[in-house]
Structures are given as C-alpha cells and as structure tokens.
Amino acid sequence: MSASAQDFRPDIEGLRALAVAGVVAYHFGLTALPGGFAGVDIFFVISGYLITRHLAAEISDTGRLDLLRFYARRARRLLPAALFVIAATLAAGTLILSPEEQALYSKGAMFASAYMINLWLIRWSFDYFANDATSNPFIHYWSLSVEEQFYLAWPALLMLAAWVRPGKRGIVVAIGIAGLVSFVFCAWLTSVSQPWAFYFSPLRAWEFAAGGLASMVPARLLQERPRLGRALSLTGLAMIGVAYLTFSEDAPFPGFLALLPVVGTVLLLKAGAAGARDGRLRNSKRNCVNAALALPPLQWIGKLSYSIYLWHWPVIVYAGMLAPELTPAERLYCLALTLALSALSYHLIENPIRRNGWLMANAARALVPALLLTGTGVAAAYGNARLAVHDLDPQQRIIAASAAEPSTARARAGCVQDYQSVTPTPCVFGDGQRVIALFGDSHADHWSTPLIEAGRKNGYKVVTWLKNSCRASRISVWSSELKRAYSECDRWREQAIKEIIGAKPALVVISELALTSGRKMAGREGATDSQDADWRAGLRSTLTSLSRAGLKVAFIRDVPFNNENVDTCVARALWRNETPSRCDQTRAYAANDRMAAVERDIVDSIPNAAYVDLTDRFCSATTCHVFIDGKLAFRDQHHLATPFAESLEPEVEKRVISKVGR
C-alpha cells in the first residue's frame, strides 16, 4: 500500500464534508443552521493538522524541508481549480453584472488570484458605503487567501523551531506560543475591530496552530481507552453542532466563540487518529461518530469539498441577482448546479492536474506554470476591470458618479464620525450670523447638502453633529459592524446634545434611520414590542431635552427603504435594456407609513417641535420611485444620492428653514 493510502483518513474526509455542508447551508439561506459559517474554522484546523504532521515528519526524517516540493504540491492541489472558477465567474458576470460592478468585482478577482483578497476585504469593510459584501462573487476566496498565507509562514516557523531546539518539543513550544499570541490578539480585536480579527491571517493562525498541536500529541492514550475516544468524538461533534445551530452573523466572531468549532474539530481529529490504521477505522463499533464520518455519502462530499466551496458562492450570488426572492425549490436547483459543476471541475481539472505524473516528477515543472497561471489570472482580472468601463455608456457614468458623490458634510474629513468616536466633532458650514444644527446619523447627513445650501441662501450657517449609525433618539443598539453593543453611540449622543444646547441654535434639524428600515437591513422585519417602546421613549427624551432648553426642532421623516442597492439595480436594468422603474418599490414595503404615524404623533406632542414629511417627493399613493426627474434618487438601499439631494433644496428651504420663524 502506498504512503498516501496509508495516510488517508476517511474520518477527515467526512469532517471536510461536515465543514463544507455548514458553509453551503449558511450561504444558501438554511435558517436552521445560522452558524454554518463556522465550517471555515473546521477547514482551518484540518489544514493545520495535516500540514504540521507532514512538515514535522519530514523535519524529523531528514532534518530539513524541501520547500519547493511542498509548494509545488500545494500549487497542483489548489491553484488550477481556483483560477478556473475565477475565470468562469468573471465570464458569467459579463452577462449579469452592470459595467461598474464588473469593474469592481474584477478587482476582487485580481486579489483572489494572488491570494490576497482577505486584505482587500479588510479595507472594504471600513468603507461605510461599500457595496454589500454578499454581492461580491469572490468574497469566499478570503479563506483560501488566509490558508495560502499560512502555508507561506508555517514551514519557516517549524524550521526555525527545529533549528533553535532540535526535536519534537521545540516545534510544540513554537506552535503553542504562536497560537496563544494569535488567539489573544484575535479575541481582543474581535470586540475592537472585528474585520481585522476575521480576515487577517496572523489573527486566524491560532486555529491552524490548534490543528498543528493536535497532530503532535500521541494517540496512544486513546487507543488504549476506546471509551474515552468515543466520548471525545461525541463531545467534538456536539460542539460543532452547537456552533452551527446557535451562532449567527451578529455574533462577535471569531474571538472566544470560535473555540467551540475549533476545539470540537480537534477532539474529532484525535479520536479518529486513535482509531485509524492503514486507511481504515478500528473500533468502529465503539466509535460510531468517526465511523459515521467515513460513510460513502460523506466521503463523496468530502472528496469534492474544495470544488464545492469554490463553486457554491458564485452560483448562489448570481442566482440571487437574477431572481432576488429565491424559492426553496430554486435554492435546491442551485445546490444541484453546484454539485454538478464541482464534480466536473474535480474530475476534469482538480484531480487530473494534482496527480499528473509529469508535474509531480519535478517541483519546477509545477511551480513555473503555477506562477505563470497566477500572473495570468491577475492580469486577466485587471484587464477585465479596465475593459468593463471602457467607452462606458453616459447613463452608466452618471449613475456611478451619482452613487459615488459624497454629501457636503461627508466630503469634509471627520465631519461624519466613525464608530469608535465618542467625542463629538462639530463642523461649521457657511458664515451666517445665526446657526442651524444638524444632528443624527447618516440619514441626517444625507440632508446636509440641501440644508447647507438653503441655509446659505437665508443667512444661516449650519453646524453638524453627525455619527455613522448613531440615531439622535436615545436608544441603545447593537452594532452589526462592531458585533457588540454600540456604547460609543450612547456616549457620543449625550455629549452632542449638551453641545447643541450650549450652542443655542435657531433650529435643530434631526433625521435618522427608521427603526423598521433597520430591521429590514438586519433581516428581522417583525416588530419587537420592547424595542418599539425603547425607541418611542428615546425619541421623546431627545426632543424633550432640546425643547426644554428653548430650542426649535424640525424632525425630517426618513426616506423610503429599497430591497436592494438602487444604483446597482438601475445600472443592471439599463445594461439589460430595461427601464429603471423595474427597481421601484411598493409604498407598503418602502415607506414605513405606520411607524411614521407614530413618529409624527410623538414629535407633534413636543413643544417647539415640528414634523417634516418629504415622502411625496419619492412616493405616490402606491409606489415609491428610485429614478426621479432623470436623477438617481438613492446611492444604495436607503441613502439619498447627493445630486438628487441637491435638487431637494427648494423643498428643504420651504419646509425646514421656514420652521425657524414660526
């Protein structure tokens, strides 16, 4: 029997199936497994386990590492299928995506080809108006980038450890220290800056290290105690199950929560190692979990797991673009297509190249084509990005420019404060003698453009107190960006209210994201009585504080909410020779009329406060429009496009500035 056959672990193949099944279930919208994304962590632990075992054995046998041979094997295994899927995804995108989207996502393909998309996504995640990541057909390559970066650093760490302290103990100590440092920083940054903790490879290294340590621990103890092995298997499977069933995308992940799938995977790997011999599982009757992982259906899925991972995301993303409300049957069709594409690419590309005798004979024979393929992939993606917007239709340029143009306040650095800020930084626009204060979140900010111009015309300067995702209403919220309570908002808001009262403006203008719109963004459209009560009390509290200080307040009703990014929807419609009206929404969905009525009653009950409703500029009795008077009304789902906001200046002057003199 060959060495590779002797090393084969059917339970590991089953673990791969378990991992990819969780990821696919999560991405395909199976709400019963909201934590399926933790399947990626299982993959990381498996990689750390297998790679460390292989490298440590080579160091022990030869005293060195043949790095060229190692990287050649990785290149044959991973690169061809990855680049093929990238090319196919780019090709399909020319038929589905608007030109601007093609250009944007081609940049993602370029970074994915170079295994650096995780670094690109860190930058993306800090752009408040970045396109929704769920529309990026290459975002899933982040985990492959992390894994490839691990492959670059890990052999060097093990060689250094063996050189400093020869023998197994030196390697174990090095892995332990690296893993501990990585975990500490990962846990800390999960609550401080979650994108770094999630995407930055050194901060996910502890998961690979956990697998590496597991590979160095002898299995003799478990071989002599099969009941203990069975208990560990059951415990490991239960830990993964709990992660899959209870985690959600709002959880502060990875951090401490990632310990659950990571430790669970380690336990399954060690229990499987105790029962493995010559590619078979011993004690299968006593270790039912690891025996179940070796069942043929899981072996088939595990064998295809890499191809399934590559294909599943572009399939479901593009399907969602073509039919935004996918039915369960349509999602099953997507799953069938994913499996078919995976089987084809596995049998025609992945497996033949990995086992090609000519490529296996010499490391250079694999590495030189690999470098050429990588360079070609990067160049092709870059070329596609340039070609997509070359000689772009004027309407497409206008849409792109409208969506990209910042509001007057946001165009000045620091005037719309970030999530971490707790001290207000007011910004002054204009040189009038009297002051209008603009206070709230980004939905107050998008009114800054017409308000500042209207104020200038009437001899007012506008002073802004603005912070991303921080309502003026006194309500504490959970931040999906920070994955924790948004305490910075509460502290910032109180200080801002004090400063506004101290400034004694002639008028305070407030606007904020409607509570129902926030629920739609989070995918939770059902009403929450306690949250509604908190919001009503919080709005009344803020308005009362300003009113008691003798200040006049104009509260601008929030704009309609759209079920997809309007700039993208309109650009795709024009690209397909359809009219922008296909992106319009029913008023029942978009306008939040019921909550607006409650809001109006609260505002009208406060002395010196007035409710300003501009919804008639967007909506008829039945429909809310996204393309109005030849202009793009929204830059995304719920923020005004600045050129359209400019056109509302006469309305703002008439309905808002007029409140100063009443």
Side-chain angles (χ1 to χ4, degrees):
M1 185 178 291
S2 67
S4 60
Q6 289 178 334
D7 289 340
F8 176 72
R9 289 266 303 275
D11 59 311
I12 291 181
E13 202 80 308
L15 264 177
R16 289 193 177 106
L18 190 64
V20 80
V23 174
V24 172
Y26 170 70
H27 286 154
F28 275 47
L30 183 61
T31 56
L33 292 177
F37 56 83
V40 171
D41 302 86
I42 298 175
F43 278 126
F44 286 167
V45 176
I46 293 173
S47 291
Y49 181 88
L50 294 176
I51 294 303
T52 303
R53 185 177 66 172
H54 169 79
L55 295 177
E58 185 174 346
I59 292 172
S60 176
D61 293 341
T62 67
R64 57 184 294 275
L65 286 177
D66 188 342
L67 292 179
L68 291 179
R69 183 167 170 266
F70 170 76
Y71 290 124
R73 187 165 52 248
R74 293 293 91 203
R76 292 197 315 270
R77 171 74 175 88
L78 302 174
L79 191 62
L83 291 176
F84 178 76
V85 174
I86 288 173
T89 304
L90 285 174
T94 62
L95 304 175
I96 299 171
L97 303 171
S98 70
E100 284 290 334
E101 287 180 293
Q102 292 177 45
L104 173 64
Y105 296 136
S106 291
K107 294 177 183 177
M110 182 174 67
F111 283 98
S113 299
Y115 289 102
M116 292 192 298
I117 195 171
N118 59 320
L119 304 178
W120 187 60
L121 290 171
I122 291 174
R123 180 181 178 185
W124 176 310
S125 65
F126 289 106
D127 182 351
Y128 189 76
F129 288 107
N131 283 31
D132 186 357
T134 58
S135 298
N136 184 341
F138 301 102
I139 192 174
H140 63 310
Y141 275 77
W142 76 268
S143 63
L144 303 181
S145 297
V146 167
E147 196 161 328
E148 284 300 310
Q149 290 158 23
F150 161 76
Y151 293 148
L152 287 177
W154 205 245
L157 174 68
L158 299 190
M159 279 297 295
L160 178 62
W163 177 72
V164 171
R165 184 169 184 174
K168 181 178 178 179
R169 182 173 297 180
I171 293 177
V172 170
V173 170
I175 294 174
I177 292 174
L180 180 61
V181 171
S182 172
F183 176 76
V184 168
F185 279 97
C186 178
W188 171 63
L189 275 172
T190 296
S191 62
V192 174
S193 184
Q194 191 261 354
W196 278 98
F198 194 90
Y199 289 123
F200 194 42
S201 53
L203 302 183
R204 301 302 286 264
W206 68 272
E207 301 185 39
F208 296 94
L213 286 175
S215 73
M216 304 296 289
V217 176
R220 289 191 300 272
L221 178 65
L222 296 181
Q223 288 172 345
E224 296 168 358
R225 294 172 174 80
R227 289 185 179 179
L228 177 59
R230 180 182 178 184
L232 292 183
S233 289
L234 289 170
T235 302
L237 184 64
M239 294 175 78
I240 292 172
V242 169
Y244 278 11
L245 292 169
T246 64
F247 287 2
S248 75
E249 59 185 14
D250 290 334
F253 195 86
F256 286 99
L257 287 179
L259 285 169
L260 204 59
V262 167
V263 174
T265 305
V266 166
L267 294 180
L268 283 167
L269 287 170
K270 289 314 300 176
R277 175 185 291 174
D278 297 339
R280 299 180 181 179
L281 288 175
R282 296 188 297 113
N283 301 323
S284 59
K285 293 182 180 179
R286 300 182 184 181
N287 197 332
C288 55
V289 174
N290 289 82
L293 290 174
L295 291 174
L298 292 182
Q299 294 300 292
W300 184 76
I301 294 173
K303 181 175 64 175
L304 297 181
S305 59
Y306 179 57
S307 291
I308 292 172
Y309 185 83
L310 292 175
W311 281 111
H312 84 283
W313 184 242
V315 166
I316 197 65
V317 165
Y318 283 160
M321 291 176 180
L322 294 173
E325 299 297 330
L326 289 172
T327 66
E330 288 169 336
R331 292 178 188 273
L332 285 176
Y333 294 148
C334 290
L335 178 60
L337 177 59
T338 297
L339 294 176
L341 291 172
S342 301
L344 285 173
S345 63
Y346 175 81
H347 290 292
L348 299 180
I349 296 171
E350 181 185 341
N351 208 41
I353 294 177
R354 179 175 58 169
R355 302 190 182 284
N356 182 276
W358 187 83
L359 293 174
M360 294 172 66
N362 186 289
R365 290 183 183 180
L367 288 176
V368 172
L371 291 173
L372 291 175
L373 272 175
T374 300
T376 301
V378 171
Y382 176 79
N384 196 65
R386 298 294 297 270
L387 185 63
V389 293
H390 177 69
D391 198 22
L392 191 62
D393 180 88
Q395 280 189 300
Q396 294 282 357
R397 290 191 185 279
I398 291 171
I399 292 168
S402 297
E405 184 177 344
S407 68
T408 302
R410 194 174 289 274
R412 187 184 295 182
C415 288
V416 182
Q417 295 181 258
D418 60 23
Y419 293 98
Q420 285 75 27
S421 299
V422 295
T423 302
T425 305
C427 291
V428 179
F429 297 87
D431 53 6
Q433 295 301 307
R434 303 181 73 191
V435 172
I436 293 176
L438 179 61
F439 173 39
D441 56 15
S442 60
H443 282 233
D445 162 54
H446 63 201
W447 293 109
S448 67
T449 299
L451 181 64
I452 289 168
E453 179 59 20
R456 184 190 64 79
K457 287 183 178 180
N458 290 272
Y460 293 94
K461 62 184 175 184
V462 174
V463 183
T464 62
W465 280 265
L466 302 168
K467 179 175 170 63
N468 284 333
S469 300
C470 186
R471 291 183 177 89
S473 299
R474 283 177 165 130
I475 178 172
S476 297
V477 297
W478 175 271
S479 170
S480 59
E481 287 77 15
L482 299 174
K483 308 295 183 185
R484 58 175 171 79
Y486 195 8
S487 58
E488 292 89 343
C489 173
D490 297 333
R491 295 162 61 190
W492 179 92
R493 183 194 300 116
E494 292 308 309
Q495 184 63 34
I497 290 173
K498 289 179 182 178
E499 291 184 9
I500 292 169
I501 291 173
K504 300 185 183 304
L507 179 69
V508 181
V509 178
I510 292 175
S511 192
E512 61 187 21
L513 176 71
L515 201 62
T516 48
S517 295
R519 289 180 183 142
K520 290 170 184 174
M521 290 168 59
R524 305 185 191 93
E525 296 189 34
T528 303
D529 291 341
S530 61
Q531 191 180 47
D532 282 354
D534 290 343
W535 165 74
R536 290 193 297 270
L539 174 58
R540 188 179 298 278
S541 175
T542 295
L543 295 176
T544 299
S545 293
L546 297 173
S547 176
R548 286 177 177 171
L551 303 180
K552 295 179 178 180
V553 180
F555 189 99
I556 303 178
R557 177 181 174 178
D558 192 20
V559 298
F561 183 87
N562 302 279
N563 66 355
E564 60 181 314
N565 284 348
V566 170
D567 60 321
T568 299
C569 182
V570 171
R572 286 181 195 160
L574 295 174
W575 180 244
R576 301 169 191 168
N577 294 318
E578 299 172 333
T579 63
S581 62
R582 73 168 294 276
C583 304
D584 291 346
Q585 305 289 314
T586 64
R587 179 168 182 138
Y589 173 81
N592 303 309
D593 283 326
R594 183 177 298 178
M595 174 159 281
V598 175
E599 199 171 57
R600 180 189 293 273
D601 289 343
I602 294 172
V603 174
D604 288 346
S605 71
I606 305 296
N608 299 321
Y611 195 70
V612 179
D613 190 346
L614 297 172
T615 307
D616 59 344
R617 289 292 285 116
F618 303 90
C619 305
S620 67
T622 59
T623 306
C624 292
H625 305 285
V626 299
F627 207 70
I628 304 170
D629 298 332
K631 293 181 181 292
L632 186 74
F634 301 91
R635 65 181 300 167
D636 52 21
Q637 287 183 280
H638 51 88
H639 291 99
L640 292 178
T642 297
F644 180 74
E646 289 174 350
S647 73
L648 297 177
E649 185 272 327
E651 297 289 340
V652 171
E653 183 176 8
K654 176 182 176 181
R655 303 197 204 185
V656 178
I657 300 293
S658 62
K659 306 302 178 185
V660 178
R662 66 180 172 84

